[in-house]
């Protein structure tokens, strides 16, 4: 016979003493009337059910740990993937200019890591799966050997599961970017072997590398987000399952005790075994948080022995801040009801270090406060938490300087906008170094990186605790000044400017004086947003540089209009000089058929060479040209140059199917321009049917009458007419009845994200169906990867154009190809 309450007799006393008050005496009386054999027949089945539930709880906990470990392995693998891809981009960017074989070797070595992951994925997707090759590939990808099996196992059995399926899709997209980088590496290497790329090619290579890098970073972030969402959902489900299983265990134990009171000791041993052998930590406490019992797992997590834990209270092992969040009930005990949901808390180990855990509690007999018991399930998530914090830090901080990055700057700037609209005064400073390029060019990027790190250390002490310093990119920094008026912000900026003016950078016995230009913007206008603030601050900084550098400029609305007009007027002068000095040159980009005869078709692209020999694309100067009436002169020269080039190369014209030439809205409406084009076509040196004039949809619709005159006159001579950027207008289909065009060029906004946006696919299909019904040809623009070509073919597109098809090249290279291949045969 046991004496005393449950606190004196542990689990046995609790179980034997508790049912009389919870279930009532009537059920115990009924049990006493049963035969001795009946409990013996019941016990094996009920104990079996309890053991099964305990095993299920252990299985759920083990599964949760395995899911967490697998997710961690994939997350670490993604970090290796992203880091190697960034290393490859940096090395490849260096190689474009340096032609140093070591940079190329570094780029390819970095790309070997994601290529290992890709080889592993392809091996697992083969039939049958090649597990050995997959392990070798994942190990090449930088994954830890102890994680290889779980990575392979997760991919084989979960790749079609929700969330993971999306993550695999992003993985494939990322591999496409890696392959593009490899192809670029080969292309750049070939270019260096052939004498080295010209400035235009270098700029184009840089643009392609940045484009691929941006796209792969977005894919990597999407991969991590999808994988993280899946893990959170699965962990939430497993946590709920753990609680449910535990509750079933408790209910089962209570039910068993009520029916088999004389067998309580054997029932206690089953429950105690499940409690102490559980794969997750478990605590038994009273309503005040005094620990009555603990299992070995929670003891190991906290660094105590089970005996030591039984001498402690929850207050002794819970971090102070988290302890303060525990409420109190009316009787003075802990309010356990809010804790029944899984939450993350910080426990304290025996050595005083914090430990992050996920825990949830179940309250037994809450109606009787004195006899209430609390069971807690505790899971150690310290490693996962550290990894999550590290990933969050990397996502918001610059890797070189440790300052907050552009993404975090924009986030904090949004917060400043909100507080400013509530009456708080804030300011934003844009800081740009004046001589950074000199140091970079004369001493190398290592010196530039060291300078940026030193400046970060020098600038931070100059700011207040409420201010934020971040790096926007390159040598551009941002200072966010909270609760600061314009006068105070100018004083802080001046102090910063003076400090940098007195700073001397030492590199290999060379000294450099460092100065900066600073633009200041007051944050708080009703029409402001993050991007407008950044643009305004950049403009103010630009004006500060124009004022002589090493000075400060406060942004004013009038400054932007003046500066914009100044920039545009500067371009007008450059355009006029380029036209007069024959520095307008023609490039061409091939257009490829998706089926049938390949043929030869291309679009003529205009380029402007400035006085320093730098080549500029239309995006830079055409806006100014159209604004100030120079587009007509450019179009006139482009048509003349293209006609002359074709006239001088009859062999090329013989092989040519169609040459596309863009015509601006100004030219469409100009009768002299139409006469000029008609005069060239009437010369007869180039058949008119070899030309296709492209009119942008917005230009054609905005000048509908003039557009119709131009179209009728050109088609009357045998030329083709294309409607460019089709789909960008509000009434695209309606105007087809009034514009007898031959070709529809589908706007690139519907093509770039075709693989991930079903709405774009539906729109492209509808455009193709209507175009074919009307007897018109369709061309898809902005095809940036080969993977989308098959999709475009399925949707009914006839031809495609974009960087994945052909990199724009000088027109003379295309026109000379026919002559180069034919002349030896003629000879």
């Amino acid at each position: 016979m046991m004496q005393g309450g449950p606190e004196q007799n542990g689990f046995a006393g609790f179980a034997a003493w508790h049912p009389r008050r919870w279930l009532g005496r009537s059920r115990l009386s009924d049990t006493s009337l049963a035969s001795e054999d009946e409990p013996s027949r019941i016990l094996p089945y009920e104990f079996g059910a309890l053991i099964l539930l305990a095993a299920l709880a252990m299985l759920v906990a083990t599964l949760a740990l395995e899911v967490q470990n697998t997710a961690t392995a994939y997350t670490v693998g993604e970090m290796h993937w992203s880091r190697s891809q960034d290393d490859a981009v940096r090395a490849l960017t260096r190689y474009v200019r340096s032609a140093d074989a070591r940079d190329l070797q570094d780029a390819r070595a970095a790309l070997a890591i994601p290529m290992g992951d890709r080889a592993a994925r392809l091996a697992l997707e083969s039939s049958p799966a090649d597990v050995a090759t997959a392990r070798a590939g994942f190990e090449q990808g930088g994954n830890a050997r102890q994680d290889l099996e779980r990575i392979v196992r997760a991919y084989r059995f979960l790749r079609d599961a929700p969330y993971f399926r999306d993550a695999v899709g992003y993985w494939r997209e990322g591999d496409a970017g890696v392959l593009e980088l490899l192809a670029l590496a080969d292309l750049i290497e070939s270019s260096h072997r052939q004498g080295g790329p010209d400035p235009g090619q270098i700029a184009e290579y840089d643009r392609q590398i940045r484009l691929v890098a941006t796209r792969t970073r977005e894919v990597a972030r999407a991969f991590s987000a999808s994988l993280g969402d899946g893990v959170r959902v699965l962990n939430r489900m497993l946590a709920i399952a753990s609680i449910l299983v535990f509750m079933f265990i408790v209910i089962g134990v209570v039910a068993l005790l009520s029916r088999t009171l004389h067998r309580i000791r054997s029932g206690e041993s089953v429950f105690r075994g499940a409690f102490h052998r559980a794969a997750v930590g478990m605590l038994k406490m009273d309503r005040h948080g005094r620990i009555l019992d603990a299992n070995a797992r929670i003891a190991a997590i906290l660094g105590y022995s089970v005996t030591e834990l039984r001498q402690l209270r929850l207050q002794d092992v819970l971090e102070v801040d988290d302890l303060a969040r525990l409420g109190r009930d009316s009787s003075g005990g802990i309010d356990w009801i809010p804790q029944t949901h899984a939450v993350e808390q910080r426990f304290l180990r025996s050595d005083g270090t914090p430990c992050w855990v996920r825990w949830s509690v179940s309250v037994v007999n809450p109606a009787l406060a004195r006899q209430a018991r609390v069971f807690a399930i505790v899971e150690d998530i310290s490693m996962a938490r550290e990894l999550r914090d590290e990933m969050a830090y990397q996502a918001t901080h610059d890797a070189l300087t440790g300052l907050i990055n552009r993404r975090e700057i924009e986030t904090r700037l949004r917060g400043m906008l909100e507080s400013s609209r509530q009456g708080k005064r804030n300011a934003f400073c844009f800081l740009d170094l004046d001589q950074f390029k000199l140091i970079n060019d004369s001493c190398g990027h290592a010196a530039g990186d060291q300078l940026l790190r030193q400046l970060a250390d020098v600038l931070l002490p100059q700011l207040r605790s409420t201010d934020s310093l971040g790096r926007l990119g390159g040598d551009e920094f941002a200072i966010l000044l909270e609760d600061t008026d314009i006068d105070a912000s100018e004083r802080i900026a001046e102090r910063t400017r003076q400090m940098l003016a007195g700073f001397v950078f030492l590199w290999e016995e060379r000294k450099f004086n460092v100065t900066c230009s600073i633009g200041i913007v007051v944050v708080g206008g009703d029409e402001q947003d993050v991007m407008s603030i950044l643009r305004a601050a950049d403009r103010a900084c630009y004006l500060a540089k124009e004022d002589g550098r090493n000075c400060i400029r406060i942004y004013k609305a009038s400054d932007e209009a003046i500066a914009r007009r100044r920039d545009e007027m500067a371009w007008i002068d450059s355009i006029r000089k380029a036209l007069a000095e024959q520095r307008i040159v023609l490039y061409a980009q091939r257009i490829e058929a998706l089926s049938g005869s390949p043929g030869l078709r291309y679009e003529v692209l205009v380029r402007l060479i400035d006085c320093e020999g730098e080549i500029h694309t239309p995006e830079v100067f055409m806006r100014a040209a159209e604004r100030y009436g120079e587009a007509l002169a450019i179009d006139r020269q482009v048509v003349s140059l293209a006609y002359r080039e074709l006239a001088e190369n009859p062999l090329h014209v013989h092989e040519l199917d169609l040459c596309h030439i863009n015509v601006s809205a100004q030219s469409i409406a100009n009768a002299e321009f139409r006469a000029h084009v008609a005069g060239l076509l009437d010369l007869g040196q180039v058949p008119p049917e070899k030309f296709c004039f492209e009119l942008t949809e917005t230009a054609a619709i905005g000048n509908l009458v003039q557009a119709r005159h131009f179209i009728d006159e050109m088609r009357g001579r045998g030329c083709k007419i294309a409607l460019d950027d089709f789909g960008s207008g509000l009434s695209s289909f309606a105007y087809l009845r009034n514009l007898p065009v031959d070709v529809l060029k589908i706007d690139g906004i519907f093509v770039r994200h075709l693989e991930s946006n079903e709405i774009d696919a539906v729109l492209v299909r509808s455009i193709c169906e209507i175009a074919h019904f009307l007897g018109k040809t369709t061309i898809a623009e902005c095809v940036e990867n080969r993977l989308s070509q098959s999709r475009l073919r399925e949707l009914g597109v006839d031809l495609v154009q974009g960087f994945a098809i052909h990199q724009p090249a000088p027109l003379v290279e295309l026109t000379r190809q026919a002559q180069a291949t034919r002349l030896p045969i003629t000879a």
Side-chain angles (χ1 to χ4, degrees), residues 274-318:
F275 183 87
H276 286 286
R277 290 194 297 270
V280 294
M282 299 181 71
L283 286 173
K284 173 189 171 185
M285 297 170 288
D286 63 14
R287 65 189 183 90
H288 295 286
R290 188 161 63 90
I291 299 175
L292 304 177
D293 206 350
N295 69 353
R297 179 57 185 157
I298 186 62
I301 291 174
L302 298 181
Y304 290 98
S305 67
V306 172
T307 303
E308 289 172 333
L309 280 177
R310 289 172 181 160
Q311 311 300 318
L312 301 176
R313 302 172 302 164
L314 180 63
Q315 293 89 324
D316 298 324
V317 296
L318 197 60

Side-chain angles (χ1 to χ4, degrees), residues 205-347:
Y205 289 147
D206 284 343
R207 193 195 65 78
Q208 293 181 52
I209 292 170
R210 289 194 301 272
L211 182 64
V212 174
T214 301
R215 189 167 62 250
T216 52
R217 290 190 190 104
E218 292 175 353
V219 169
R221 286 194 291 269
F223 174 89
S224 297
S226 179
L227 190 62
D229 290 342
V231 171
R232 283 190 290 274
V233 170
L234 188 54
N235 276 342
R236 194 176 299 118
M237 294 171 63
L238 291 172
I240 294 172
S242 298
I243 295 173
L244 291 176
V245 171
F246 180 75
M247 289 299 297
F248 279 124
I249 292 175
V250 173
I251 293 172
V253 169
V254 173
L256 178 62
L257 290 175
S258 68
R259 298 183 60 187
T260 59
L261 191 56
H262 61 288
R263 300 279 187 168
I264 193 62
R265 288 190 178 275
S266 59
E268 175 198 355
S269 64
V270 173
F271 185 80
R272 184 178 291 276
F275 183 87
H276 286 286
R277 290 194 297 270
V280 294
M282 299 181 71
L283 286 173
K284 173 189 171 185
M285 297 170 288
D286 63 14
R287 65 189 183 90
H288 295 286
R290 188 161 63 90
I291 299 175
L292 304 177
D293 206 350
N295 69 353
R297 179 57 185 157
I298 186 62
I301 291 174
L302 298 181
Y304 290 98
S305 67
V306 172
T307 303
E308 289 172 333
L309 280 177
R310 289 172 181 160
Q311 311 300 318
L312 301 176
R313 302 172 302 164
L314 180 63
Q315 293 89 324
D316 298 324
V317 296
L318 197 60
E319 206 275 344
V320 175
D321 293 338
D322 292 332
L323 178 63
R325 287 193 285 268
L326 292 179
R328 296 288 172 175
D329 59 20
S330 58
S331 61
I334 296 174
D335 183 8
W336 291 105
I337 302 303
Q339 308 302 318
T340 54
H341 302 288
V343 295
E344 294 183 1
Q345 299 272 29
R346 287 170 297 177
F347 275 41

Side-chain angles (χ1 to χ4, degrees), residues 37-52 256 260 263 266 270:
D37 294 334
E38 185 176 350
S40 299
R41 291 194 301 270
I42 295 173
L43 279 174
Y45 299 105
E46 296 184 343
F47 275 145
L50 287 174
I51 293 173
L52 181 61
L256 178 62
T260 59
R263 300 279 187 168
S266 59
V270 173

